[in-house]
Amino acid sequence: MLKKERHAFIIKQINLHNKVLSSDLSVQLQVSEDTIRRDLNNLAEEGKILKVHGGALSKSFHSPYQLNEIYAKDSKKEVAQKAIELISEGMVVLTGGGTTMVEMARLIPDELEATFFTVSPLVALELSEHPKLTVILMGGQLSKNAHINIGSKTVTDLMDIKVDLCFLGANGIDLKEGITDSDYEVVQVKKAMIRSAAKVAIMSISEKLESVQKMKVCSLSNLEYLISDLNPDDPKYTAYSEFVKVI
């Protein structure tokens, strides 16, 4: 594979999953980790990614207020708009983090009165702009990679609440493996969020379908909704609709 092709593949993986590991890219591209490190250094120097120890992060994920940087912005806006339709007056809602979740927070109607718990400081700030929302930020250690609060305090606090609906993002969605992620601490928080909710909705653009990360969050049977940017009748979702309601 040519250098230009490798770079395109790396950027696509980072935009989809927010974070990539050099070791994983080495296996996927069948090149040495030294080659991957040079590729990541080149892309970082060009300002296209954020280089970190052992891998790289998405620049758009870590600059959510720079709207022109957000990957698949229109698709994420479509997902966010569909998600809002599930929220009703007086509901108690719990959200994760990520660019799609921030977009949802921006689009919530100002007349909606509801209570929102969130583990994301960025989402909390967007929610606070809406006059009739009660916003509660779940405390803990801030993950610099995921931009959500993590750790034992966050997990313990989540155990003490019961919400009507939980919105989560996903780094990997697969029929067999379910919802997966690459960060152990983030996985523990997501599991606690799922346990605290009467219903769980996964928000994800369709490009993440049939992708698997190393750590399991939950099975599809743990979900009530899968919210996508495509029409629910799209053939991509035929098999998924047997396990979860596709919106």
Side-chain angles (χ1 to χ4, degrees):
M1 184 179 288
L2 298 174
K3 179 179 179 181
K4 184 178 180 180
E5 294 173 318
R6 290 199 312 273
H7 284 194
F9 178 86
I10 290 169
I11 290 172
K12 180 69 175 291
Q13 293 303 305
I14 290 176
N15 281 329
L16 282 179
H17 305 298
N18 304 324
K19 177 184 178 182
V20 294
L21 300 176
S22 299
S23 56
D24 289 344
L25 290 172
S26 175
V27 173
Q28 291 167 339
L29 292 171
Q30 298 182 336
V31 296
S32 69
E33 286 197 43
D34 283 340
T35 298
I36 295 299
R37 276 192 287 270
R38 286 195 294 271
D39 286 340
L40 295 181
N41 285 334
N42 290 340
L43 290 170
E45 289 169 0
E46 293 171 6
K48 296 179 179 179
I49 64 170
L50 298 175
K51 181 80 166 58
V52 296
H53 179 71
L57 303 173
S58 163
K59 194 172 181 183
S60 66
F61 182 83
H62 284 258
S63 305
Y65 294 106
Q66 298 178 21
L67 299 183
N68 60 321
E69 295 279 357
I70 295 177
Y71 178 74
K73 182 179 181 294
D74 290 341
S75 294
K76 291 179 178 180
K77 189 172 182 178
E78 179 70 22
V79 172
Q81 192 62 61
K82 289 182 179 180
I84 290 171
E85 294 174 7
L86 295 177
I87 306 171
S88 57
E89 195 78 7
M91 187 176 277
V92 179
V93 180
L94 173 62
T95 86
T99 49
T100 307
M101 213 69 65
V102 170
E103 189 65 38
M104 181 187 76
R106 287 191 178 117
L107 294 174
I108 290 175
D110 283 342
E111 64 270 17
L112 177 69
E113 188 170 350
T115 298
F116 275 78
F117 289 88
T118 183
V119 295
S120 167
L122 294 175
V123 172
L125 286 171
E126 287 295 339
L127 291 170
S128 69
E129 295 295 319
H130 301 281
K132 292 190 176 182
L133 295 184
T134 298
V135 183
I136 302 166
L137 177 63
M138 310 297 286
Q141 175 188 345
L142 179 64
S143 166
K144 295 180 180 178
N145 290 342
H147 282 186
I148 65 169
N149 292 333
I150 58 171
S152 58
K153 185 181 188 307
T154 305
V155 172
T156 300
D157 288 351
L158 286 166
M159 292 171 60
D160 292 333
I161 65 171
K162 291 296 179 185
V163 303
D164 300 308
L165 180 60
C166 171
F167 289 108
L168 282 177
N171 271 333
I173 305 176
D174 182 76
L175 276 171
K176 181 180 178 181
E177 300 298 331
I179 307 303
T180 55
D181 209 301
S182 59
D183 187 307
Y184 177 80
E185 293 286 355
V186 170
V187 168
Q188 304 318 303
V189 170
K190 287 186 175 182
K191 286 182 175 181
M193 293 174 71
I194 291 169
R195 289 193 292 268
S196 73
K199 294 181 179 181
V200 179
I202 290 293
M203 299 168 59
S204 177
I205 58 174
S206 56
E207 289 182 68
K208 292 188 180 183
L209 291 179
E210 310 306 325
S211 64
V212 179
Q213 301 293 296
K214 291 184 175 179
M215 301 175 198
K216 186 163 186 173
V217 176
C218 70
S219 300
L220 294 179
S221 59
N222 295 114
L223 309 176
E224 185 77 17
Y225 306 105
L226 172 56
I227 309 173
S228 164
D229 51 316
L230 300 180
N231 188 299
D233 295 329
D234 190 284
K236 286 185 177 182
Y237 292 104
T238 301
Y240 285 87
S241 62
E242 297 179 13
F243 300 92
V244 63
K245 183 176 181 179
V246 180
I247 298 177

